[in-house]
Amino acid sequence: MEELYDFMVWGDYDAKIEYLANMTDENWNFHEKTNNLILKNYLKYTTKKLEEENKIMTTDNYCIINTGLFTPYYEPIYIYAEKNLSDSKQDWWFKSFSTSYDLGNLGITELPERANYFQDPSQLVFDVNCKINVQFKHIYDDEDNRNRIPKEIVNSKNIHSIFKGAIDTMVKKVTANYKIAVPQYFNGKIQLLLPLCLVDESIPDLALVVTKVNNVYQGHTCLTMEMAYNNARLIAKPESNWLVP
């Protein structure tokens, strides 16, 4: 599967996604945007993960996908599609976003599981006993990374001192409150996102991505807030107050 959008006939895709966004009662937009880009990204990668885990339920007549999302009443939300009998290249025709009650009314009681992103829950918690090794050369010299750094920092002669100070402060914060570290799923791995406040010590500018390797964390790269939220939202809605859309 390349894209969920191409997996079935949707009709007005944006309208369907807007309906799902309202069904979850969650904010799926960055700042003042209205395109539900976070939700579209979430569905794209969640469906790919479900396909990898062989959790997309298909029969001769219908297809059901567990979105991993919930209504405000904690009811799981499923994508329900029926067999497409037209000449379209897609096998399925989107019918509805449904709860288990809705599907039960159709006589469907066997339902697929959610995507599973981790086997070891300890991966989700920052280990304060592990030091962090940061790949500074990649962060400073890689063009994509440099473009993510605030201009007043990337052009500063003291960029390294600023980063080192922000990392030291972040380590103290996460040591005092382990919930500051937010897990993300990327390229089949669980990593942690850590806030870096470079311009204003109370406002995160970037998220440092770290992966635990034995007894240390390897700091690979930095992400913008939008990139970090998109990756983190695949696992769960971040509860930390520094990573919000």
Side-chain angles (χ1 to χ4, degrees), residues 137-154:
K137 179 175 176 55
H138 177 69
I139 293 173
Y140 301 156
D141 296 345
D142 177 80
E143 184 177 357
D144 287 339
N145 271 268
R146 285 183 64 84
N147 289 336
R148 299 167 192 165
I149 302 172
K151 286 184 171 56
E152 58 264 51
I153 303 300
V154 77

Side-chain angles (χ1 to χ4, degrees), residues 97-217:
F97 291 109
S98 303
T99 65
S100 54
Y101 177 83
D102 298 327
L103 295 173
N105 284 336
L106 299 176
I108 301 172
T109 56
E110 183 179 352
L111 299 172
E113 298 178 355
R114 303 177 70 201
N116 182 18
Y117 287 99
F118 56 91
Q119 301 295 329
D120 181 5
S122 67
Q123 293 179 305
L124 308 180
V125 180
F126 183 81
D127 188 343
V128 298
N129 297 309
C130 297
K131 66 175 291 188
I132 300 176
N133 298 322
V134 180
Q135 188 179 203
F136 290 109
K137 179 175 176 55
H138 177 69
I139 293 173
Y140 301 156
D141 296 345
D142 177 80
E143 184 177 357
D144 287 339
N145 271 268
R146 285 183 64 84
N147 289 336
R148 299 167 192 165
I149 302 172
K151 286 184 171 56
E152 58 264 51
I153 303 300
V154 77
N155 295 324
S156 171
K157 293 181 180 180
N158 299 319
I159 182 173
H160 191 57
S161 296
I162 295 171
F163 261 87
K164 288 282 288 182
I167 291 171
D168 290 344
T169 299
M170 173 271 295
V171 170
K172 293 176 182 176
K173 289 180 179 179
V174 76
T175 299
N177 181 7
Y178 70 92
K179 292 183 179 180
I180 288 176
V182 177
Q184 76 161 15
Y185 182 81
F186 183 74
N187 281 348
K189 296 180 180 179
I190 294 293
Q191 301 169 317
L192 293 178
L193 299 167
L194 303 170
L196 293 183
C197 303
L198 303 171
V199 178
D200 184 322
E201 64 179 18
S202 63
I203 303 175
D205 299 290
L206 297 171
L208 177 67
V209 181
V210 299
T211 302
K212 192 174 184 181
V213 179
N214 296 325
N215 61 343
V216 299
Y217 284 107

Side-chain angles (χ1 to χ4, degrees), residues 26 28 38-49 67-69 114-118 182-190 193 227-238:
E26 182 177 337
W28 295 98
I38 301 172
L39 181 53
K40 291 174 182 176
N41 183 79
Y42 171 88
L43 288 176
K44 172 183 177 180
Y45 289 102
T46 295
T47 308
K48 285 185 176 182
K49 187 69 166 64
T67 67
L69 302 174
R114 303 177 70 201
N116 182 18
Y117 287 99
F118 56 91
V182 177
Q184 76 161 15
Y185 182 81
F186 183 74
N187 281 348
K189 296 180 180 179
I190 294 293
L193 299 167
M227 296 167 69
Y229 191 91
N230 266 323
N231 291 350
R233 187 58 190 85
L234 288 176
I235 299 177
K237 180 181 178 182

Side-chain angles (χ1 to χ4, degrees), residues 48-102:
K48 285 185 176 182
K49 187 69 166 64
L50 289 168
E51 186 179 39
E52 292 172 7
E53 297 178 1
N54 197 29
K55 289 181 179 177
I56 295 178
M57 178 181 290
T58 59
T59 71
D60 291 338
N61 301 311
Y62 60 82
C63 168
I64 300 177
I65 299 174
N66 189 330
T67 67
L69 302 174
F70 296 87
T71 71
Y73 307 106
Y74 301 102
E75 303 164 293
I77 300 173
Y78 302 88
I79 295 173
Y80 172 67
E82 293 183 349
K83 195 73 173 181
N84 181 16
L85 302 179
S86 70
D87 294 331
S88 172
K89 65 179 181 180
Q90 290 101 329
D91 291 332
W92 306 103
W93 192 287
F94 173 84
K95 299 299 291 185
S96 65
F97 291 109
S98 303
T99 65
S100 54
Y101 177 83
D102 298 327

